[in-house]
Amino acid sequence: MKLASTEQADFAEAVGALLHKRDPLEQVRRAPGPRKFDAELWSDLVAIGLLEPAQAGDVVTACLVAEALGRAAAPLPFLSASVADALVVPAGGEVTGLATYGLLAEDGTWSAPALELSPRGDGLVHGTLPFVPDADAADIVVAAVQAPEGRRLALVRTSDTTVEPLENLDATQPLSRVVCRASPATLLPAAGDALAAAIEEARLLALALHGATLLGLATWLLDTTVEYAGRRVQFGLPIAARQAVKHRCASMLIQVESIRSMVLELADALETGADDRALVAATAMAWTTEAAEEVAGGALQLHGGIGFTWEHDLHHYFKRCTVGALLLGTSGHHRAQVAAALTA
């Protein structure tokens, strides 16, 4: 397992410092409901190189950045933009503007139906992308298209589609249904095995970045809960003095550090191109999604009444962990992939 260098950690800390200064949850906190995309903050983060580690194949640094964003529960399209770039460039295209991807089915797996290409040869596509993250802010959606010669990827402008927001527990990460009715599309050159390989590598990168985001969320929940337990007094003693509280916090710590190990192992496997990287990814996500949910549940319980209020930021983290456990496939889905790989 490759550990982060000082330079990598420093870059992630710079991202975290900017997020702390700008408080990305402020708008959601002021006006409960779906996030309002902060284009200025996003532009500032991109200017300091937010997307560059993933583009350069530096998955460890990209995961550290995702962790920093998770700690802030930042309502920003880092995951979708990184994955879209990882799809488009190997497929022979170029990303202009803010892009997302439309390959997710409603169960979070990469099995969305392909759009249908018009038989008239006019480059128009028809169909529905059921589960698109950050489509409310994106300029471009990367989608699979069924062409006469086989499946291809295509770029479709969101302005040429109908974006239908989905009801979502997590206000910081909007999901939408994108409907294409004779929408112009730009087909990318890659096809066949080359395209399948590019999609698989992008899928694995998505799992790594998502796991790192869950790590950041869980770390904030742990730190905030430990701090609260140390100052919340009941019957003349801080609740942290109670054995049951100590044990629950210790359990949360074990979960967080286990997630950290899993994420670093996966990042290393992707960087080195390990043959078993798909198995490592499935193993990591089978554990990480459930562990993050457990940490969120422990934080909510140990905060007591204040944890259930809108005034406390905990509910944003709790909801994001809950949705995050389903976003790219359930733990059951990933366990099934592990079982299939071990019995093949």
Side-chain angles (χ1 to χ4, degrees):
M1 181 174 66
K2 179 182 177 182
L3 299 178
S5 67
T6 301
E7 182 180 9
Q8 290 171 318
D10 287 346
F11 179 72
E13 286 180 9
V15 171
L18 180 55
L19 291 169
H20 179 74
K21 180 180 179 181
R22 300 286 288 274
D23 188 10
L25 276 181
E26 182 182 2
Q27 290 184 352
V28 179
R29 199 182 294 120
R30 283 204 315 262
R35 67 112 190 258
K36 294 178 176 61
F37 176 55
D38 190 341
E40 183 180 353
L41 174 57
W42 175 252
S43 178
D44 289 345
L45 286 166
V46 170
I48 67 171
L50 184 76
L51 300 175
E52 292 176 8
Q55 293 169 345
D58 184 357
V59 185
V60 171
T61 303
C63 284
L64 292 177
V65 169
E67 181 185 352
L69 291 163
R71 279 178 181 261
L76 296 170
F78 172 72
L79 175 61
S80 54
S82 298
V83 173
D85 191 78
L87 286 166
V88 172
V89 175
E94 182 180 356
V95 175
T96 56
L98 178 56
T100 185
Y101 62 106
L103 303 185
L104 297 180
E106 291 176 335
D107 61 357
T109 61
W110 284 50
S111 56
L115 300 176
E116 294 294 330
L117 189 63
S118 172
R120 294 193 296 270
D122 50 12
L124 303 181
V125 293
H126 305 262
T128 299
L129 306 174
F131 207 59
V132 183
D134 300 307
D136 64 313
D139 305 305
I140 298 289
V141 178
V142 186
V145 172
Q146 190 60 45
E149 67 275 14
R151 184 162 292 208
R152 303 271 291 277
L153 288 181
L155 305 181
V156 182
R157 298 196 65 83
T158 53
S159 58
D160 295 323
T161 68
T162 301
V163 177
E164 302 174 350
L166 298 174
E167 187 173 348
N168 184 15
L169 178 67
D170 175 21
T172 68
Q173 293 285 272
L175 297 166
S176 303
R177 180 186 297 110
V178 175
V179 181
C180 298
R181 300 184 182 91
S183 302
T186 302
L187 288 182
L188 302 182
D193 291 343
L195 177 59
I199 291 175
E200 175 62 5
E201 291 304 312
R203 184 185 74 86
L204 296 178
L205 175 65
L207 293 177
L209 297 181
H210 182 48
T213 303
L214 291 173
L215 171 60
L217 295 164
T219 301
W220 184 93
L221 287 162
L222 172 64
D223 292 345
T224 301
T225 302
V226 169
E227 188 274 333
Y228 177 78
R231 61 181 171 81
R232 176 71 170 96
V233 174
Q234 285 185 337
F235 306 108
L237 287 174
I239 63 172
R242 313 294 178 184
Q243 189 175 44
V245 174
K246 291 179 182 179
H247 285 182
R248 191 63 186 268
C249 287
S251 176
M252 291 167 63
L253 174 62
I254 291 170
Q255 301 278 23
V256 168
E257 292 307 314
S258 296
I259 295 173
R260 190 181 310 281
S261 296
M262 291 279 191
V263 169
L264 286 173
E265 183 71 25
L266 175 54
D268 186 41
L270 295 185
E271 279 197 10
T272 59
D275 293 338
D276 64 345
R277 58 192 182 279
L279 174 59
V280 173
T283 304
M285 295 310 296
W287 170 266
T288 295
T289 52
E290 289 190 346
E293 275 195 296
E294 286 198 27
V295 172
L300 188 67
Q301 183 181 37
L302 292 179
H303 272 80
I306 188 65
F308 288 83
T309 66
W310 282 94
E311 287 76 12
H312 200 290
D313 283 347
L314 191 151
H315 74 97
H316 292 298
Y317 290 80
F318 180 88
K319 292 171 182 176
R320 190 147 174 187
C321 284
T322 301
V323 173
L326 308 172
L327 182 61
L328 298 182
T330 65
S331 59
H333 166 75
H334 295 298
R335 282 197 297 270
Q337 288 192 314
V338 172
L342 294 179
T343 56

